Amino acid sequence: MGKFDQFVKTGLVDSLRVIGEPASIGGNYFRAAFGESEMDVTYHSFGEDDEVTTIATCLKSELSNEPRVGETLTRVDQRKTYVITGVQSDLNSHRIHLREKNA
């Protein structure tokens, strides 16, 4: 791992330790930072739907499996459940796109 990659990973680890909160996917617990309230607009032939979405960022090394679309993520402290709508990954982390379940 190059010095820059190590620098990025160290920054991510430190950030999640400070602003992260407990989350779980399928019984696998980890820390994630949540970015809230992005508006997603879906266009249909009969109109459009607005839904509030959230993005969670977590370390790859804390998950045993890569998150999959359709799985549920639980935000432990707030007792909120989300459905995973997309996953973007880089060398050290996952950005998990979420929609609150039953919202």
Side-chain angles (χ1 to χ4, degrees), residues 3-102:
K3 288 184 181 188
F4 180 75
D5 292 335
Q6 186 60 42
F7 172 77
V8 170
K9 183 174 182 178
T10 301
L12 186 58
V13 169
D14 290 345
S15 297
L16 288 173
R17 188 176 54 235
V18 173
I19 64 170
E21 59 184 88
S24 74
I25 299 174
N28 189 3
Y29 288 85
F30 56 95
R31 292 191 69 76
F34 290 87
E36 303 253 16
S37 300
E38 294 184 14
M39 197 57 92
D40 184 32
V41 179
T42 305
Y43 297 98
H44 301 285
S45 58
F46 53 85
E48 57 188 47
D49 290 334
D50 294 346
E51 60 183 20
V52 176
T53 60
T54 302
I55 294 178
T57 302
C58 66
L59 287 172
K60 274 185 168 180
S61 59
E62 289 194 3
L63 296 175
S64 55
N65 296 315
E66 184 164 332
R68 293 185 310 260
V69 172
E71 286 185 309
T72 57
L73 179 145
T74 302
R75 204 167 172 176
V76 177
D77 289 347
Q78 295 188 9
R79 296 187 176 148
K80 288 184 179 180
T81 303
Y82 298 87
V83 176
I84 298 173
T85 59
V87 179
Q88 294 176 317
S89 300
D90 61 27
L91 185 63
N92 298 307
S93 66
H94 294 297
R95 280 178 54 92
I96 306 169
H97 297 259
L98 306 163
R99 178 182 45 80
E100 189 170 352
K101 199 171 187 179
N102 302 321

